Amino acid sequence: MRIVIAATLAVVATLVAANMLGVAAAEAPTTTTASPNSVSVEGVARVPIAQDANLATATAVYRQAMAEAMTDGQTKAEFLAGKAAVTLGSVQRIVEAGGYIECTNSEESSYSEYEGEEPDFGSPPSSIAVAPAAAPESAAAGGGVHRPTLKHPKKHVTAHKASAAKCTLTASVALVYAIS
């Protein structure tokens, strides 16, 4: 009977030890394919817009701002790559990070309401992978960075006297460039 108990304890001890090694192996770092080296930047642009712009005008201004934001992002990426002594490669990912319109009274330091139509600022983070199969991990996989929307609620302030409002549309675009 002692032999059966001893044998059972030996088997249990062996299984426990094997299980612990299995857990340790599962928790050990695994070798994964590394994503290419990259630099991530956010380009931002501010473009004037009429306080009562129609949808076509607002959309055109937003697209102009996105184009200028792309240029701003590229300039930032080139600067960072130069400081790191690396070569800037092609765009790997583009994310429309949204935008907003803000108006201020020129004679007063107060906010005024934007009265025109708003363009489609998108639903960040929506991205377009530019490079096939070499794009970084997606945000859903936990590898990306969540970008909050820049769509701000309108600020309602009643102007005390009639004065021309100056409105600005701000657009933001997040970019990921390959570096080597």
Side-chain angles (χ1 to χ4, degrees):
M1 183 58 128
R2 284 185 180 172
I3 295 174
V4 174
I5 293 174
T8 304
L9 288 175
V11 169
V12 170
T14 303
L15 290 174
V16 169
N19 188 30
M20 290 175 68
L21 288 175
V23 169
E27 291 176 354
T30 57
T31 305
T32 59
T33 305
S35 61
N37 292 336
S38 61
V39 60
S40 299
V41 294
E42 186 168 352
V44 179
R46 291 168 186 83
V47 178
I49 186 170
Q51 185 177 13
D52 59 350
N54 62 29
L55 183 59
T57 300
T59 299
V61 171
Y62 180 54
R63 289 183 179 167
Q64 176 189 349
M66 284 194 299
E68 290 181 19
M70 291 278 295
T71 302
D72 180 56
Q74 181 177 359
T75 301
K76 289 175 181 178
E78 289 169 349
F79 172 79
L80 292 172
K83 289 296 182 183
V86 296
T87 302
L88 187 65
S90 63
V91 175
Q92 301 295 302
R93 186 177 199 167
I94 302 170
V95 178
E96 177 186 19
Y100 61 93
I101 299 172
E102 186 173 67
C103 300
T104 57
N105 286 324
S106 56
E107 296 175 12
E108 304 171 18
S109 297
S110 62
Y111 290 99
S112 185
E113 184 175 351
Y114 175 68
E115 298 170 359
E117 295 184 58
E118 289 190 3
D120 179 4
F121 287 117
S123 301
S126 61
S127 65
I128 302 169
V130 181
E137 294 179 25
S138 70
V145 176
H146 178 266
R147 298 239 178 240
T149 180
L150 291 178
K151 197 178 231 183
H152 293 286
K154 294 179 184 177
K155 296 176 180 166
H156 300 277
V157 175
T158 305
H160 295 284
K161 55 184 173 179
S163 61
K166 179 180 177 184
C167 299
T168 304
L169 185 146
T170 300
S172 180
V173 178
L175 304 164
V176 177
Y177 286 88
I179 56 174
S180 58

